[in-house]
Structure formats: C-alpha cells, structure tokens
Amino acid sequence: DDTPGRASTLKEHMPPSHHYMQGWTPSRFLHWAGKVGDQTKKQVNSLLLSREHLEQSYRACLGLLGLEKKYGKDRLETACAKANRLGIVSMRSIKNMLVSGTEKMAEEQPQAVGCFRHGNIRGDTEFH
C-alpha cells in the first residue's frame, strides 16, 4: 500500500532502531514467555496476532516480557492471567496493573438491576 502515513513492511524502509529485530521470530517470543508461565505465553500469542504484520507486535512483546525484571514472574503471570480473563491485549494495560498493584484485585462483577429485594422495590404482584 502506497498510502502516505501507512505502515511500510519493506525492510529497506525499516528504521535503524528496528534492525535488531530482524532475526526474531514469534516462536522466540513464545518460548521466552513460556518460561514465565502459560498465561504470559497466551498474552504474547494474543499480542503477536493483534497486528497486521508480526514485526509490528515485537516491541509490545519485548515490553511485556521486560516487565519480569522489575515485577517478577509471579506478578507478571498474575497480571497476564487477569488480562486474558478480561480479554485485554495490551502491554500498557498490564504494565499499569503492575505499577498500581491491581493485578491481584478481583474484577468487580456488575450487579444486575433488581437482584436485591428491599422496601423500595415492588414485586410483580403490585402491578395490574
């Protein structure tokens, strides 16, 4: 596609900062993620599938896997598990969970209207 502003996949158009990624493969990221845990591997797989071109997801995968150094395997795995449960595919969201410490907090379940009986709610027999 020659549309201005669109991503280019030609190697000669790749910025120098991306050249170090040329030898990388999805299996390399998945293998690394598998060393952290199954949930991290699942999140990396989702990141790899989230972009039109694999190479565009490599930086997000690198960022996600790099979080292990600062937060450890257990916390990263817990954050990825929560993200996977919620359908979140985002390194930034996982990082935010780890920074705020919310990866261990249970997700709030939405309350259905009318589930609770109290004095202000009339039952179905009250209407004609």
Side-chain angles (χ1 to χ4, degrees):
D1 187 357
D2 291 334
T3 306
R6 295 276 314 199
S8 175
T9 57
L10 297 175
K11 293 196 187 313
E12 56 269 14
H13 293 174
M14 191 182 303
S17 62
H18 290 192
H19 285 223
Y20 70 95
M21 292 187 199
Q22 281 184 294
W24 292 19
T25 64
S27 60
R28 183 174 180 178
F29 285 110
L30 291 169
H31 178 72
W32 181 4
K35 290 180 178 182
V36 176
D38 290 341
Q39 294 297 318
T40 304
K41 186 174 182 177
K42 182 176 179 180
Q43 181 65 208
V44 165
N45 189 57
S46 296
L47 283 170
L48 290 168
L49 295 172
S50 70
R51 304 282 164 67
E52 186 177 348
H53 301 284
L54 281 171
E55 294 81 3
Q56 295 171 340
S57 63
Y58 288 176
R59 291 186 82 171
C61 292
L62 271 177
L64 178 73
L65 294 167
L67 294 171
E68 178 192 356
K69 289 178 186 170
K70 184 169 184 177
Y71 299 101
K73 284 183 179 185
D74 291 341
R75 287 192 66 199
L76 178 55
E77 182 72 356
T78 300
C80 286
K82 184 174 184 176
N84 293 337
R85 252 189 334 276
L86 296 173
I88 296 169
V89 180
S90 165
M91 184 282 294
R92 184 165 289 152
S93 295
I94 292 170
K95 180 179 181 181
N96 289 340
M97 277 188 236
L98 292 166
V99 168
S100 64
T102 58
E103 78 277 2
K104 294 179 182 173
M105 294 175 67
E107 301 91 46
E108 289 191 24
Q109 299 297 319
Q111 298 291 334
V113 176
C115 288
F116 300 102
R117 290 247 181 235
H118 54 79
N120 292 332
I121 305 292
R122 290 187 261 170
D124 56 354
T125 59
E126 301 293 323
F127 298 96
H128 301 275

PDB file of all heavy atoms in Angstrom, residues 77-98:
ATOM      1  N   GLU A  77       2.801 -13.040  35.608  1.00  0.00           N
ATOM      2  CA  GLU A  77       1.882 -14.133  35.257  1.00  0.00           C
ATOM      3  C   GLU A  77       0.469 -13.830  35.761  1.00  0.00           C
ATOM      4  O   GLU A  77      -0.514 -14.057  35.059  1.00  0.00           O
ATOM      5  CB  GLU A  77       2.412 -15.455  35.827  1.00  0.00           C
ATOM      6  CG  GLU A  77       1.573 -16.662  35.491  1.00  0.00           C
ATOM      7  CD  GLU A  77       1.627 -17.131  34.043  1.00  0.00           C
ATOM      8  OE1 GLU A  77       2.280 -16.476  33.201  1.00  0.00           O
ATOM      9  OE2 GLU A  77       0.995 -18.150  33.735  1.00  0.00           O
ATOM     10  N   THR A  78       0.358 -13.288  36.973  1.00  0.00           N
ATOM     11  CA  THR A  78      -0.950 -12.934  37.540  1.00  0.00           C
ATOM     12  C   THR A  78      -1.610 -11.828  36.726  1.00  0.00           C
ATOM     13  O   THR A  78      -2.810 -11.893  36.433  1.00  0.00           O
ATOM     14  CB  THR A  78      -0.792 -12.494  39.009  1.00  0.00           C
ATOM     15  OG1 THR A  78      -0.230 -13.579  39.753  1.00  0.00           O
ATOM     16  CG2 THR A  78      -2.119 -12.112  39.629  1.00  0.00           C
ATOM     17  N   ALA A  79      -0.826 -10.819  36.342  1.00  0.00           N
ATOM     18  CA  ALA A  79      -1.368  -9.718  35.544  1.00  0.00           C
ATOM     19  C   ALA A  79      -1.814 -10.208  34.166  1.00  0.00           C
ATOM     20  O   ALA A  79      -2.871  -9.800  33.664  1.00  0.00           O
ATOM     21  CB  ALA A  79      -0.335  -8.603  35.409  1.00  0.00           C
ATOM     22  N   CYS A  80      -1.035 -11.085  33.561  1.00  0.00           N
ATOM     23  CA  CYS A  80      -1.412 -11.636  32.253  1.00  0.00           C
ATOM     24  C   CYS A  80      -2.669 -12.490  32.365  1.00  0.00           C
ATOM     25  O   CYS A  80      -3.535 -12.451  31.485  1.00  0.00           O
ATOM     26  CB  CYS A  80      -0.261 -12.440  31.653  1.00  0.00           C
ATOM     27  SG  CYS A  80       1.086 -11.409  31.037  1.00  0.00           S
ATOM     28  N   ALA A  81      -2.780 -13.242  33.453  1.00  0.00           N
ATOM     29  CA  ALA A  81      -3.978 -14.066  33.658  1.00  0.00           C
ATOM     30  C   ALA A  81      -5.219 -13.180  33.754  1.00  0.00           C
ATOM     31  O   ALA A  81      -6.258 -13.471  33.158  1.00  0.00           O
ATOM     32  CB  ALA A  81      -3.831 -14.916  34.920  1.00  0.00           C
ATOM     33  N   LYS A  82      -5.102 -12.077  34.496  1.00  0.00           N
ATOM     34  CA  LYS A  82      -6.235 -11.155  34.624  1.00  0.00           C
ATOM     35  C   LYS A  82      -6.571 -10.531  33.272  1.00  0.00           C
ATOM     36  O   LYS A  82      -7.739 -10.465  32.885  1.00  0.00           O
ATOM     37  CB  LYS A  82      -5.906 -10.070  35.649  1.00  0.00           C
ATOM     38  CG  LYS A  82      -7.061  -9.135  35.922  1.00  0.00           C
ATOM     39  CD  LYS A  82      -6.727  -8.185  37.058  1.00  0.00           C
ATOM     40  CE  LYS A  82      -7.918  -7.311  37.405  1.00  0.00           C
ATOM     41  NZ  LYS A  82      -7.638  -6.448  38.559  1.00  0.00           N
ATOM     42  N   ALA A  83      -5.545 -10.099  32.550  1.00  0.00           N
ATOM     43  CA  ALA A  83      -5.770  -9.511  31.227  1.00  0.00           C
ATOM     44  C   ALA A  83      -6.431 -10.519  30.289  1.00  0.00           C
ATOM     45  O   ALA A  83      -7.370 -10.178  29.563  1.00  0.00           O
ATOM     46  CB  ALA A  83      -4.452  -9.015  30.636  1.00  0.00           C
ATOM     47  N   ASN A  84      -5.969 -11.747  30.319  1.00  0.00           N
ATOM     48  CA  ASN A  84      -6.550 -12.779  29.456  1.00  0.00           C
ATOM     49  C   ASN A  84      -8.012 -13.028  29.811  1.00  0.00           C
ATOM     50  O   ASN A  84      -8.846 -13.193  28.923  1.00  0.00           O
ATOM     51  CB  ASN A  84      -5.736 -14.075  29.551  1.00  0.00           C
ATOM     52  CG  ASN A  84      -4.352 -13.937  28.962  1.00  0.00           C
ATOM     53  OD1 ASN A  84      -4.097 -13.067  28.130  1.00  0.00           O
ATOM     54  ND2 ASN A  84      -3.429 -14.780  29.410  1.00  0.00           N
ATOM     55  N   ARG A  85      -8.319 -13.061  31.105  1.00  0.00           N
ATOM     56  CA  ARG A  85      -9.706 -13.266  31.549  1.00  0.00           C
ATOM     57  C   ARG A  85     -10.608 -12.139  31.069  1.00  0.00           C
ATOM     58  O   ARG A  85     -11.765 -12.363  30.715  1.00  0.00           O
ATOM     59  CB  ARG A  85      -9.768 -13.317  33.080  1.00  0.00           C
ATOM     60  CG  ARG A  85     -10.014 -14.636  33.672  1.00  0.00           C
ATOM     61  CD  ARG A  85     -10.294 -14.634  35.163  1.00  0.00           C
ATOM     62  NE  ARG A  85      -9.771 -13.561  35.978  1.00  0.00           N
ATOM     63  CZ  ARG A  85      -8.541 -13.510  36.497  1.00  0.00           C
ATOM     64  NH1 ARG A  85      -7.688 -14.487  36.278  1.00  0.00           N
ATOM     65  NH2 ARG A  85      -8.170 -12.490  37.236  1.00  0.00           N
ATOM     66  N   LEU A  86     -10.081 -10.917  31.085  1.00  0.00           N
ATOM     67  CA  LEU A  86     -10.873  -9.742  30.713  1.00  0.00           C
ATOM     68  C   LEU A  86     -10.843  -9.446  29.211  1.00  0.00           C
ATOM     69  O   LEU A  86     -11.478  -8.508  28.756  1.00  0.00           O
ATOM     70  CB  LEU A  86     -10.371  -8.515  31.482  1.00  0.00           C
ATOM     71  CG  LEU A  86     -10.530  -8.582  32.995  1.00  0.00           C
ATOM     72  CD1 LEU A  86      -9.849  -7.391  33.661  1.00  0.00           C
ATOM     73  CD2 LEU A  86     -12.005  -8.637  33.370  1.00  0.00           C
ATOM     74  N   GLY A  87     -10.069 -10.222  28.463  1.00  0.00           N
ATOM     75  CA  GLY A  87      -9.978 -10.002  27.017  1.00  0.00           C
ATOM     76  C   GLY A  87      -9.119  -8.804  26.650  1.00  0.00           C
ATOM     77  O   GLY A  87      -9.274  -8.219  25.584  1.00  0.00           O
ATOM     78  N   ILE A  88      -8.186  -8.432  27.540  1.00  0.00           N
ATOM     79  CA  ILE A  88      -7.296  -7.301  27.293  1.00  0.00           C
ATOM     80  C   ILE A  88      -6.039  -7.798  26.578  1.00  0.00           C
ATOM     81  O   ILE A  88      -5.412  -8.741  27.025  1.00  0.00           O
ATOM     82  CB  ILE A  88      -6.899  -6.619  28.622  1.00  0.00           C
ATOM     83  CG1 ILE A  88      -8.133  -6.020  29.293  1.00  0.00           C
ATOM     84  CG2 ILE A  88      -5.817  -5.574  28.400  1.00  0.00           C
ATOM     85  CD1 ILE A  88      -7.893  -5.555  30.711  1.00  0.00           C
ATOM     86  N   VAL A  89      -5.708  -7.163  25.469  1.00  0.00           N
ATOM     87  CA  VAL A  89      -4.477  -7.477  24.740  1.00  0.00           C
ATOM     88  C   VAL A  89      -3.707  -6.169  24.645  1.00  0.00           C
ATOM     89  O   VAL A  89      -3.854  -5.409  23.693  1.00  0.00           O
ATOM     90  CB  VAL A  89      -4.783  -8.048  23.338  1.00  0.00           C
ATOM     91  CG1 VAL A  89      -3.489  -8.360  22.594  1.00  0.00           C
ATOM     92  CG2 VAL A  89      -5.653  -9.284  23.438  1.00  0.00           C
ATOM     93  N   SER A  90      -2.910  -5.889  25.684  1.00  0.00           N
ATOM     94  CA  SER A  90      -2.224  -4.607  25.755  1.00  0.00           C
ATOM     95  C   SER A  90      -1.095  -4.668  26.768  1.00  0.00           C
ATOM     96  O   SER A  90      -1.329  -4.888  27.955  1.00  0.00           O
ATOM     97  CB  SER A  90      -3.227  -3.514  26.164  1.00  0.00           C
ATOM     98  OG  SER A  90      -2.572  -2.348  26.583  1.00  0.00           O
ATOM     99  N   MET A  91       0.123  -4.438  26.299  1.00  0.00           N
ATOM    100  CA  MET A  91       1.260  -4.397  27.204  1.00  0.00           C
ATOM    101  C   MET A  91       1.087  -3.248  28.179  1.00  0.00           C
ATOM    102  O   MET A  91       1.354  -3.378  29.369  1.00  0.00           O
ATOM    103  CB  MET A  91       2.553  -4.238  26.392  1.00  0.00           C
ATOM    104  CG  MET A  91       3.840  -4.274  27.216  1.00  0.00           C
ATOM    105  SD  MET A  91       4.287  -2.787  28.131  1.00  0.00           S
ATOM    106  CE  MET A  91       4.617  -1.642  26.825  1.00  0.00           C
ATOM    107  N   ARG A  92       0.617  -2.109  27.706  1.00  0.00           N
ATOM    108  CA  ARG A  92       0.461  -0.929  28.554  1.00  0.00           C
ATOM    109  C   ARG A  92      -0.539  -1.186  29.683  1.00  0.00           C
ATOM    110  O   ARG A  92      -0.306  -0.784  30.829  1.00  0.00           O
ATOM    111  CB  ARG A  92       0.034   0.270  27.723  1.00  0.00           C
ATOM    112  CG  ARG A  92      -0.048   1.545  28.556  1.00  0.00           C
ATOM    113  CD  ARG A  92      -0.119   2.769  27.700  1.00  0.00           C
ATOM    114  NE  ARG A  92       1.203   2.941  27.102  1.00  0.00           N
ATOM    115  CZ  ARG A  92       1.413   3.542  25.941  1.00  0.00           C
ATOM    116  NH1 ARG A  92       0.427   4.012  25.251  1.00  0.00           N
ATOM    117  NH2 ARG A  92       2.630   3.667  25.468  1.00  0.00           N
ATOM    118  N   SER A  93      -1.635  -1.857  29.406  1.00  0.00           N
ATOM    119  CA  SER A  93      -2.619  -2.156  30.445  1.00  0.00           C
ATOM    120  C   SER A  93      -2.037  -3.085  31.506  1.00  0.00           C
ATOM    121  O   SER A  93      -2.278  -2.909  32.701  1.00  0.00           O
ATOM    122  CB  SER A  93      -3.869  -2.805  29.842  1.00  0.00           C
ATOM    123  OG  SER A  93      -4.526  -1.890  28.999  1.00  0.00           O
ATOM    124  N   ILE A  94      -1.267  -4.055  31.066  1.00  0.00           N
ATOM    125  CA  ILE A  94      -0.636  -4.977  32.014  1.00  0.00           C
ATOM    126  C   ILE A  94       0.393  -4.235  32.857  1.00  0.00           C
ATOM    127  O   ILE A  94       0.454  -4.420  34.074  1.00  0.00           O
ATOM    128  CB  ILE A  94      -0.031  -6.180  31.267  1.00  0.00           C
ATOM    129  CG1 ILE A  94      -1.173  -7.027  30.681  1.00  0.00           C
ATOM    130  CG2 ILE A  94       0.854  -7.016  32.190  1.00  0.00           C
ATOM    131  CD1 ILE A  94      -0.750  -8.102  29.727  1.00  0.00           C
ATOM    132  N   LYS A  95       1.155  -3.363  32.226  1.00  0.00           N
ATOM    133  CA  LYS A  95       2.128  -2.566  32.980  1.00  0.00           C
ATOM    134  C   LYS A  95       1.413  -1.705  34.016  1.00  0.00           C
ATOM    135  O   LYS A  95       1.849  -1.601  35.168  1.00  0.00           O
ATOM    136  CB  LYS A  95       2.949  -1.690  32.036  1.00  0.00           C
ATOM    137  CG  LYS A  95       3.975  -0.852  32.757  1.00  0.00           C
ATOM    138  CD  LYS A  95       4.796  -0.010  31.809  1.00  0.00           C
ATOM    139  CE  LYS A  95       5.828   0.791  32.593  1.00  0.00           C
ATOM    140  NZ  LYS A  95       6.622   1.640  31.695  1.00  0.00           N
ATOM    141  N   ASN A  96       0.300  -1.085  33.631  1.00  0.00           N
ATOM    142  CA  ASN A  96      -0.456  -0.258  34.567  1.00  0.00           C
ATOM    143  C   ASN A  96      -0.968  -1.078  35.753  1.00  0.00           C
ATOM    144  O   ASN A  96      -0.974  -0.589  36.883  1.00  0.00           O
ATOM    145  CB  ASN A  96      -1.615   0.446  33.855  1.00  0.00           C
ATOM    146  CG  ASN A  96      -1.143   1.546  32.934  1.00  0.00           C
ATOM    147  OD1 ASN A  96      -0.031   2.058  33.061  1.00  0.00           O
ATOM    148  ND2 ASN A  96      -1.981   1.906  31.980  1.00  0.00           N
ATOM    149  N   MET A  97      -1.390  -2.309  35.500  1.00  0.00           N
ATOM    150  CA  MET A  97      -1.822  -3.189  36.596  1.00  0.00           C
ATOM    151  C   MET A  97      -0.669  -3.408  37.572  1.00  0.00           C
ATOM    152  O   MET A  97      -0.852  -3.358  38.794  1.00  0.00           O
ATOM    153  CB  MET A  97      -2.254  -4.558  36.060  1.00  0.00           C
ATOM    154  CG  MET A  97      -3.649  -4.647  35.548  1.00  0.00           C
ATOM    155  SD  MET A  97      -4.013  -6.388  35.191  1.00  0.00           S
ATOM    156  CE  MET A  97      -4.498  -6.255  33.497  1.00  0.00           C
ATOM    157  N   LEU A  98       0.509  -3.675  37.036  1.00  0.00           N
ATOM    158  CA  LEU A  98       1.671  -3.959  37.876  1.00  0.00           C
ATOM    159  C   LEU A  98       2.116  -2.719  38.644  1.00  0.00           C
ATOM    160  O   LEU A  98       2.450  -2.802  39.827  1.00  0.00           O
ATOM    161  CB  LEU A  98       2.811  -4.514  37.020  1.00  0.00           C
ATOM    162  CG  LEU A  98       2.549  -5.899  36.435  1.00  0.00           C
ATOM    163  CD1 LEU A  98       3.561  -6.221  35.352  1.00  0.00           C
ATOM    164  CD2 LEU A  98       2.556  -6.965  37.518  1.00  0.00           C
TER     165      LEU A  98
END
